[in-house]
């Protein structure tokens, strides 16, 4: 720090500088796993996080980690079957090699986490074999869990404790604003702001985005307040490409709370995995006849079915359906987090149906990276929800996200160490602070209303163009000089990118449901201009607008 500064200086000039080999943006499972591995490899790491170190999305994950453990799995299950289920859920848009590679890394990642102290629920008291549950889209019981339905919290606890033991430096309550780049375009650090907008600079030859998702694009989400798409926006502004952003997964069951906004409590899919069923207000099954897996169909299918049923308003109810978990014995012990959230509303799942509704949950797309986190921009890496490795395609398989964070977090640290060793990364001393004066910032409330109404489950050309108009009308140009403005600018840019991709994809696939194009368009391999079994790349134009590249550039082969 350079001593006292005036408010104006604080807004315009970095008042402190730090240096590291690797700066990690975000302290969820991918970020902390990467930071720990990078330190083991001898790198100087700094973690920068918007909240406190344990405030990321990871701790809200309930259901578990999907993994097929050696000698500890359902008869006939295999890593290959887990990969097949992932590909099926991804609706033709996964990258086959990425899926097989990441899923195959799961057992070792879980073994390392257990060695680091994570405690998963045993199959029976006193046994070492782990309990396994099932979630939507899985053909076997292969989801391990902790604390009943508090798996993310246990993963986060383990990693935070280890990072503390290892004295990994963490800069809490700071938001990453923009990448610092050399004249040749290499990323060599980031600018950051604290709570009060006081700017700082972290110079590092490698920057890892592990900043999570974008659920705050919508009024109702399972994500925490910090999930505002900042990493995606930073990557776009740094010259990276993003893909598959139109595929926002809506979790079928968050707890319905009349009038509530923001983060809503999740009702884990594992509740259905253990026998609960979805009904409308007349008692009719929501999922009967919709999919062979019934209530355990992949998430996109269940969320869309609930949305259709709510639109029909059976029994006069159009904002939720009911999850009947009364047949699950010992509900409070098996699902303590869900039980506690229900109790706040006076609901006892042992006796009462749980009112549930879909809400924004997970970004299946993100910054285009290899399976070890390299983006197309030298020095910029991404891992976890902010990255698009090709694992999720058009719809993520349940409980694959903690797994991806563990596997990709370790691999990206190893990629950074290798890139540093070969001397190919940029020199932080040559970094030039971005001179961008202002960026477009839309009003958050107007954006969330428009996105929730027109760009959630069930989109059409007209509605998507309304979102575009709402964004245009509410946008002002602003410098990125407070954390709130950085977040709102990110939401604005990501909404623009999502709407552009959703408007061009004239079909329904996975999480992207077009009411004006209700069919999936798979005319591959004949392939004509309307065949959609391919991803869409987005980058920023020189004037800062998200532009779609030729979709064939990211073609994936079934
Ligand atoms: C859940 O427990 O239903 C959510 C876990 C996930 O998103 O994979």
């Amino acid at each position: 720090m350079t001593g006292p500064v005036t408010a104006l200086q604080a807004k315009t000039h970095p008042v402190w500088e730090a240096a590291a080999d690797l700066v990690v943006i975000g302290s969820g499972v991918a970020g902390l796993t990467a930071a720990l591995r990078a330190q083991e490899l001898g790198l100087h790491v700094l973690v920068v996080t918007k909240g406190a170190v344990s405030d990321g999305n990871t701790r809200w994950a309930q259901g578990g980690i999907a993994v097929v453990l050696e000698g500890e799995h359902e008869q006939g299950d295999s890593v290959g079957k887990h990969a097949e289920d992932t590909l099926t859920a991804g609706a033709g848009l996964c990258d086959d090699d990425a899926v097989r590679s990441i899923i195959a890394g799961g057992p070792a990642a879980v073994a390392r986490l257990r060695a680091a102290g994570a405690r998963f629920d045993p199959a029976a008291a006193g046994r070492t074999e782990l309990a396994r549950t099932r979630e939507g889209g899985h053909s076997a019981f292969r989801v391990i869990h902790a604390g009943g339905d508090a798996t993310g919290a246990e993963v986060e606890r383990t990693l935070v404790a280890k990072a503390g033991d290892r004295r990994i430096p963490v800069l809490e309550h700071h938001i990453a604003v923009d990448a610092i780049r050399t004249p040749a375009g290499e990323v060599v650090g980031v600018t950051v702001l604290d709570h009060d907008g006081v700017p700082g600079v972290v110079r590092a030859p490698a920057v890892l985005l592990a900043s999570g998702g974008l659920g705050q694009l919508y009024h109702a989400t399972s994500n925490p307040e910090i999930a505002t798409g900042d990493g995606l926006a930073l990557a776009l502004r740094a010259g990276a490409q993003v893909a598959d952003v139109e595929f926002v997964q809506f979790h079928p069951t968050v707890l319905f709370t009349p009038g509530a906004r923001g983060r809503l409590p999740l009702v884990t899919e594992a509740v259905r995995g253990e026998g609960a069923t979805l009904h409308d207000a007349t008692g009719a099954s929501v999922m009967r006849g919709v999919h062979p897996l019934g209530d355990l169909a992949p998430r996109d299918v269940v969320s869309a079915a609930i949305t259709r049923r709510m639109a029909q308003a059976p029994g006069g109810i159009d904002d939720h359906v009911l999850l009947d978990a009364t047949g699950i014995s010992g509900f409070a012990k098996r699902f303590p987090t869900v039980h506690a959230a229900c109790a706040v509303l006076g609901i006892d799942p042992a006796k009462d149906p749980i009112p549930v509704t879909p809400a924004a949950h997970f970004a299946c797309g993100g910054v285009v990276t290899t399976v070890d986190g390299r983006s197309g921009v030298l020095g910029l890496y991404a891992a976890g929800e902010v990255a698009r490795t090709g694992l999720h395609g058009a719809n993520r398989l349940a409980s694959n996200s903690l797994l991806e964070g563990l596997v990709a977090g370790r691999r990206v640290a190893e990629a950074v160490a290798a890139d540093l060793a070969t001397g190919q990364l940029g020199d932080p001393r040559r970094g030039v602070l971005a001179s961008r004066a202002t960026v477009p910032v839309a009003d958050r409330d107007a954006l969330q209303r428009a996105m929730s109404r027109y760009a959630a489950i069930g989109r059409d050309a007209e509605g998507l163009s309304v979102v575009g108009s709402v964004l245009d009308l509410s946008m002002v140009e602003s410098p990125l000089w407070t954390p709130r403005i950085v977040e709102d600018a990110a939401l604005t840019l990501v909404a623009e990118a999502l709407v552009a991709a959703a408007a061009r994809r004239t079909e329904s696939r996975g999480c992207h449901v077009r009411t004006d194009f209700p069919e999936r368009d798979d005319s591959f391999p004949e392939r004509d201009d309307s065949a959609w079994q391919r991803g869409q790349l987005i980058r920023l134009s020189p004037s800062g607008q998200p532009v779609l590249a030729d979709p064939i550039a990211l073609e994936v082969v079934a």
Side-chain angles (χ1 to χ4, degrees), residues 161-195:
K162 200 165 173 196
D165 289 349
R166 298 264 207 87
R167 299 183 182 281
I168 295 205
V170 182
L171 188 61
E172 295 183 311
H173 307 293
H174 279 72
I175 188 168
V177 180
D178 258 325
I180 303 169
R181 301 175 75 191
T182 65
E186 299 133 335
V187 167
V188 287
V190 282
T191 53
V192 301
L193 292 178
D194 77 1
H195 268 325

Side-chain angles (χ1 to χ4, degrees), residues 62-63 135 251 266 268-269 299 361 396 398-399:
Q62 292 185 355
E135 291 184 61
H251 195 287
L266 198 60
T268 173
E269 253 187 301
R299 269 186 199 162
H361 183 58
R396 171 172 70 82
S399 284

Side-chain angles (χ1 to χ4, degrees), residues 135-137 250-253 269 272 277-279 286-287 290-291 293-310 321 323 356-358 395 457 510 513:
E135 291 184 61
F250 278 65
H251 195 287
T253 57
E269 253 187 301
R272 273 176 288 130
T277 47
L278 289 159
H279 303 271
V286 173
M287 293 308 298
V290 175
H291 190 278
L293 289 173
D295 286 274
L296 280 178
R299 269 186 199 162
D300 55 336
V301 177
V302 182
S303 290
I306 293 174
T307 304
R308 283 195 302 272
R309 188 62 64 92
M310 291 191 309
V321 294
L323 182 65
V356 290
T357 190
N395 174 52
I457 303 174
V513 179

